[in-house]
Amino acid sequence: MINFTMPDFTQAYPEMFVLAMTCVILILDQFLSDARRSITYYLTQLTVIVAAVLTFNQFGTDTVVTFSGMFVNDSMSVLLKLAMYVVMIGIFLYSRAYLTKRGLLKGEYYALGLFGMMGMMVMISAHNFLTIYLGLELLSLSMYALVAYDRDSMVASESAMKYFVLGAIASGMLLYGMSMLYGANGTLDISAINDSINSGTASKQIQAFGLVFIIVGLAFKLGAVPFHMWLPDIYHGSPTSVTLYIASAPKIAAFAMVMRLLVETMPGLQSDWQTMLIMLAVLSMAIGNVIAIAQTNLKRMLAYSTISHVGFILLGIIAADKAGYSAAMFYTITYAITSLGAFGVIILMSRNGFEADQLDDYKGLNQRNPWYAFVMLILMFSMAGVPPTVGFFAKLWVLEAVINNDMTWLAIVAVFFSVIGAFYYIRMVKLMYFDAPEDEQVLEGSADMRLALSLNGIVVLGLGLFPGSLMALCVAALA
Amino acid sequence: MNMENIYLAIPLAPLFGAIVAGLFGWKIGRAASHWVTILGVAVAFALSMLVFKHIVIDGAETYNKTVYVWMISQGIQFEIGFLIDKLTTVMLVVVTFVSLMVHIYTIGYMKEDPGYQRFFSYIALFTFSMLMLVMSNNFLQLFFGWEAVGLVSYLLIGFWFKRETAIYANLKAFLVNRVGDFGFLLGIAAIVYFTGSLDYMTVFGQADTIASQNIEIFAGVPWSAMTVVCILLFIGAMGKSAQVPLHVWLPDSMEGPTPISALIHAATMVTAGIFMVARMSPLFELSATALSVVITIGAITALFMGLLGLVQHDIKRVVAYSTLSQLGYMTVALGASAYSAAIFHLMTHAFFKALLFLGAGSVIIAMHHVQDMREMGGLKKYMPITYWTSLIGSLALIGFPGFSGFFSKDAIIEAVAHSDIAGSGFAYAAVLGGVFITALYSFRMFFLVFHGQERMDEHTREHLHETPAVVTVPLILLAIPSAIVGWYTIGPMLFGDYFGASIFVLPEHNALAAVGESWHGPAGMVTHGVMQPPFVLAMLGVFTAWFLYMKRPDIAESIKNKSGLLYTMLVEKYGFDRFNEIVFAGGARGLGNLFWRNGDVRLIDGLIVNGSAKTVGWISGIIRNVQSGYLYHYAFAMILGLLGLLSWVIYSS
């Protein structure tokens, strides 16, 4: 007899709503002329906002596993989704200006963007290897298409190709690792695998091998060294509006994937993945920070900067306790917001035919526009970890978690490389404040863009001044 | 009214004035700034008088309480607390009174200065700091007040910060005081080391334990711990109270405006060292060696600094050297265990020296900021009030019988005569000789300024007139205590038990008691004093001054020309300045240059900072080539990474 229980659809309301709306937008957009394309934009934002409201209604409810164990709704998923919506609203807002200026404002951007968001929501709420993979692929395929969105651009097409090929390899490895764990434990359900590993009946050897492949998949998605090679090229080659996307929201989803796959599925293999992550983290911090120094392109520099921040996020996972996970979550969320702002500034600075992606383009920004120079300064200081910006507390708590778990050496390594990293962030500040401007053009940008960007900078500063509430949410999300 | 609130209000009222005038002076304007600070100090003065009545007249118990605990570190309390006894009360009244006079006087003196509000803010801040210092019941707060008055002194000496000489002088004052403060800090540290406490009473209670211990700073040479502690503390006092050889900053401090010369560098701050030693009498009494050091240093200062006053032409510098010399007298009194005589002289000196400084300031205002006595003369008829008040001040200074200085100075001289501490013989000769010198330079200045030919230029002469009331009223108010305060206070302060438990003197050191046996009231002291050597010497000094500078100026000139080497020595101030400049300043600069060139530029900047930056940049330049742009390179890197992880798994299992 087939044992079928009705899934609890209420738990998946946001996902269902986003799916429906995305289809509506996809079709509706076909009937809109370019002049009325803003309807698509507003519908998209509305979708994200309504999804946020729906998700917010789930705030504070108990953990529910439904859809035959495929789908989970817990406090972590709610918090991460909410953070992701905030970032997504920023992404759609900033990229609209970019796309409009270049005549690229088409409905596909929004449809693909929403599908990607769907994928991330599924990843965050996944409770089964299949769901994780499904979400990941939905996100990745949307991303590949988005990178090639400006299809006349040679660079963009090349980037998309690279991303697709490497992404396919990584996906393959992840699937391979999952299949090994399936082979060893006979199930794809996260809780069931956890029980099986703890029972100690399955082959340790196969599990360890499976773990390696899964970690490779995760490391690729996060962009940890040595699986980071795609990152600088894709950041650089994509239109800035897409780089903005890749660089912010998916980090939150990737963090969720790490939590689901390593922390929830394989606490029994903790000592194994801990050591592997230490290698990846140290390499990421070292390579990311050191190479970033040699970059002259801001987008590439931020790509390497991302790699080094991934190292820091991994530190929190490595600490392998509640404090570490919540610190890593705090780090991820605030980094996504900071990164969003940095690319937002690039978009604000750029205009048709001028990408504003060279470091030298930022010379003397303070004289041209002191306020946005200040916003950029806050963002750079936050990435460097200068108090009182939020980046300082993110680093502080991660390091604290690491030290409390008797890995002081790792904290020293992390601090050492962030000192090296501080150089290229502060170089940006130097360029903006102490060099003479080469370009006297007045900054363009719509009112909503300017407002959002200002708000973005203020949030980064404000979260640094009052980090307590967000941190409390992160701690509560893991309770 | 709760006395604790009054004690709190006394320092806080001037602080309030200082903050308002300092931060909002630009907004509230000049008049409001001087009103707010003067009111603050006036409140402090009125409350001090109330405290005086409470403690001295009503004979209330000594107040000793902690107001606020800052922190407790390893059992040592860091706190703010007040110790209000009769010693503190004297200081409170003197400080607030002189400060109030100086505040009022400043309205006239600084009338045209653009930094008017800043000046008022500083002097009110000074009053606050000085009050915190004298009211303290623990070493931490004492040190806070000590440093705070030093800071304000620094700021005020350099008040005219565009003058090169002022900047030089305030830097010098700062550096020299640093030397003293370092000793002071070591002394406090030693006290904490031996007693584990910063509280006065706890420390005094354990004085015997300190005295019974030895300390070996150099291995094999045991020193009495008490001697080490006391000498270190006294080094602090030497810096603040300008004792040889740390006196060099005080004459230069005259670069500051005259009101602060009167307030800080004559009446109050420089006496902080005297006050501190008197406060620490339970410690100093237990080390005869330290007392000998104190009396010797004091005697040298009293005599030799007075001599320098003879060759100065700047009116303020003469008063400055006179201050040095009088501080020497006070120190001698401390060394002779006549602590109450030192405090007594501190009080009378505060009045008449502030008066003399403000009188000099009044002359300077009238002379349009000319300070050279060679361009003065005959001012008596233009400035009668300044003339008469300065005369009272000078008579008090030289110890003319009946004036306040007479009582305090004679008491010191008598006490030294009765003291049998090592060095008291030399000290007696020095203070006696000092009387003659004091009279000589005081009246040299007095005659040169107020009598004789009018040597100023025509333009200045036409504008000469008495200074306004804000200047002359403080002069008169200061002249009154300068003249008479000795009559009423000598009895209880020196020979009564005014100070009670505040000052501790061992019976065998008690020289004042010996003096007191033959003391029969102030009137008796005056009649007796007229026949004593100090009076004769003082009169001889006045006469010599009159003869050399009024009657036969040519003799003065020829003495100057004939005593070549001696004169040069005096003009060069015994070479202290030159020595410091070459050995300490030059040496420090040389050493600094050495470390800067080799340590900082080559090692730290060159090798460590720039070297590491270059290395990172170089590595970065190489590794970035890995990012070739070829897809198969990227995929290969991933495979390598996978292999690495796999081999680790195989290796570790």
Side-chain angles (χ1 to χ4, degrees), chain B residues 553-569:
Chain B
D554 52 318
I555 296 186
E557 196 62 25
S558 68
I559 291 176
K560 179 177 151 185
N561 292 336
K562 280 182 185 148
S563 60
L565 187 65
L566 184 68
Y567 182 78
T568 317
M569 200 170 81

Side-chain angles (χ1 to χ4, degrees), chain A residues 5-13 16 64-68 71 73:
Chain A
T5 40
M6 255 322 248
D8 182 357
F9 286 108
T10 54
Q11 300 301 322
Y13 274 170
M16 287 152 68
V64 180
V65 179
T66 183
F67 289 97
S68 313
F71 186 91
N73 213 346

Side-chain angles (χ1 to χ4, degrees), chain A residues 36-97:
Chain A
R36 303 173 68 188
R37 199 70 69 196
S38 54
I39 293 175
T40 317
Y41 167 72
Y42 288 118
L43 268 180
T44 307
Q45 290 289 37
L46 186 74
T47 308
V48 182
I49 289 166
V50 173
V53 173
L54 290 173
T55 309
F56 189 77
N57 285 336
Q58 300 169 341
F59 199 89
T61 51
D62 293 335
T63 303
V64 180
V65 179
T66 183
F67 289 97
S68 313
M70 291 293 216
F71 186 91
V72 65
N73 213 346
D74 53 10
S75 43
M76 182 178 89
S77 71
V78 172
L79 179 66
L80 287 179
K81 278 182 202 167
L82 285 174
M84 188 195 67
Y85 298 140
V86 171
V87 176
M88 284 309 297
I89 290 174
I91 291 170
F92 286 130
L93 202 151
Y94 293 160
S95 43
R96 183 186 180 208

Side-chain angles (χ1 to χ4, degrees), chain A residues 162 212 227 229 233 275 290 294, chain B residues 620 624 627 629 634 638 649:
Chain A
K162 280 181 186 164
V212 169
F227 310 98
M229 303 291 269
D233 285 16
T275 319
V290 169
Chain B
S620 173
R624 69 179 293 199
Q627 195 78 22
Y634 296 181
M638 286 173 68
V649 167

